[in-house]
Amino acid sequence: MSLAVTLSRAQEGVAAPQVMVEVHLSGGLPGTHIVGLPEAAVREARDRVRVAIQNAAFEYPNRKVTVNLAPAELPKDGGRFDLAIALGILAAGGQVPREKLDECEFLGELALSGDLRGVSGVLPALLRARARGRRVVVPRANAAEAALVPEADVLVADTLADVCGWLRDARELALPGPADDGQAIDPGVSDLVDVRGQLQARRALEIAAAGGHHLLLIGPPGTGKTMLAERLPGILPPLGESEALETCAVLSVAGQRVDPARWRQRPFRAPHHTASAVALVGGGSHPRPGEISLAHNGVLFLDELPEFTRHVLEVLREPLESGQILVSRAARQSTFPAQFQLVAAMNPCPCGYAGDARERCRCTPDQIQRYRGRISGPLLDRIDLCVEVPRVPLAELGAPRSVYDEDSATVRARVVQARERALARAGRPNAEINTRELERDCALGAAERRWFEASLERLGLSARAYHRVLRVARSIADLDGGSALLDRSHLAEALQYRRF
């Protein structure tokens, strides 16, 4: 029989749809034809595969070779189908047996020598194959990534000849090896104990970590805004296995290296203010994840917030609410996760010294208004906590550390307890609970409700702000022991963070 079928997987966002590689050998003029909506890199596979088969000491069929990549309406790109195409051609010609082909999926790009090269997007493919109960053969370059998926049936190969020998039961393929626990400390991450003073900012950082809230830091240059933001990942609860795999899957799709030693650490992304909207949300002719998706389950830090263009900032509004981003192009749509925690920093005015007692501000009221007006009201409304970061006196910088200069481990212990209370109550962080859960979990006494509604009226806050203040108050109560009822102190502290 001159027809053979092998299995592989395409890359479409963080999904990995299955692709059937059907190979047929027939009479006619010798040549190779690839159909099924292949992109340029896939069409070029016919030359890579032919030379690789010959250099692996096999015979390339001197017949008409038709390769169909099904489903036909799914665009296919990259060299990830090379191994499946080569094995399909060899199986159709009777050079390798077909018994193992039905139960396996194959990923890998072929070098002309027959060696296997690594491909991007292996992790999502392994997760889908594990759900289907199939074995996957991947290049050795992807072995460390494959080891992260527990209970996945994965084999690692170096060359096309190795895979063919395994199909013939002439040799065994290696396993990817044990995975690291992923808890190694990143040497570039510093501790919260390095921050001197800034008690209010430290408190806001702890509340943001406990509830998953977005945070805006405002202060003159050199007061520690960036230092505070960089230490937020160190006090966040550790990633669970499913969260870590989801985060690593985004990195894999983006073609970035997954560090096996630190794969459970929360990501921290800090794009420059010259970044475009596409760089932030993702896109391209073949959609790739942007910075907000690379920060999934972690922190997205935007320093010098007003220096980002208005258009770039406005694209954040929908993902901040929905937790995902849909990238639409003429030929395809791709959905990427974007459940990130936004931390932004800005100066109070263009010169940076408005309200600073030690430096004279040179900006006019109109200049200050235009500077702050670069950030729209709807975007600010989605930021739960806004805190001032004033200049720290030099005497305090050189003084012995006080009991308030806590390290990240101490703060993280409180954050983990507060987050566990929220998860036990609603199954998600406080920043993500919906309106119905808010009514259930943020109960107010009659006196507290009257005081709270009067305060909202005086401040002129929106309905969205009303719900966000309640969520922040719920996080403060969880840090305070998890009382069922919110008291006035919880509400008052939450309200003071809406002062922009």
Side-chain angles (χ1 to χ4, degrees), residues 73-215:
E73 69 273 7
L74 177 69
K76 292 93 177 174
D77 59 350
R80 59 196 304 109
F81 305 107
D82 287 6
L83 178 59
I85 292 173
L87 294 176
I89 292 174
L90 293 175
Q95 300 185 66
V96 297
R98 311 179 189 202
E99 287 74 16
K100 296 181 179 180
L101 293 180
D102 293 338
E103 62 188 36
C104 294
E105 298 180 5
F106 302 92
L107 295 168
E109 179 182 335
L110 284 173
L112 297 183
S113 61
D115 293 338
L116 285 175
R117 291 175 175 158
V119 295
S120 63
V122 165
L123 199 56
L126 294 178
L127 292 172
R128 301 306 186 278
R130 183 185 65 175
R132 296 291 299 272
R134 287 206 179 99
R135 174 175 290 169
V136 186
V137 178
V138 300
R140 186 168 296 278
N142 297 115
E145 190 176 338
L148 303 181
V149 184
E151 302 177 3
D153 191 357
V154 184
L155 297 175
V156 175
D158 293 300
T159 66
L160 173 62
D162 291 341
V163 181
C164 294
W166 174 73
L167 291 174
R168 292 173 161 180
D169 294 324
R171 68 178 68 183
E172 293 294 327
L173 295 180
L175 298 174
D180 292 333
D181 62 5
Q183 300 288 359
I185 300 299
D186 190 338
V189 174
S190 301
D191 200 279
L192 192 60
V193 76
D194 300 330
V195 180
R196 307 301 297 272
Q198 303 295 4
L199 298 184
Q200 186 182 32
R202 291 171 66 108
R203 171 66 172 173
L205 204 69
E206 183 175 342
I207 296 170
H213 304 288
H214 307 305
L215 173 65

Side-chain angles (χ1 to χ4, degrees), residues 203 206-207 210 414-415 418 421 474-482:
R203 171 66 172 173
E206 183 175 342
I207 296 170
R414 293 197 298 267
V415 168
R421 293 186 183 106
R474 181 69 265 171
S475 297
I476 295 171
D478 287 342
L479 286 169
D480 199 25

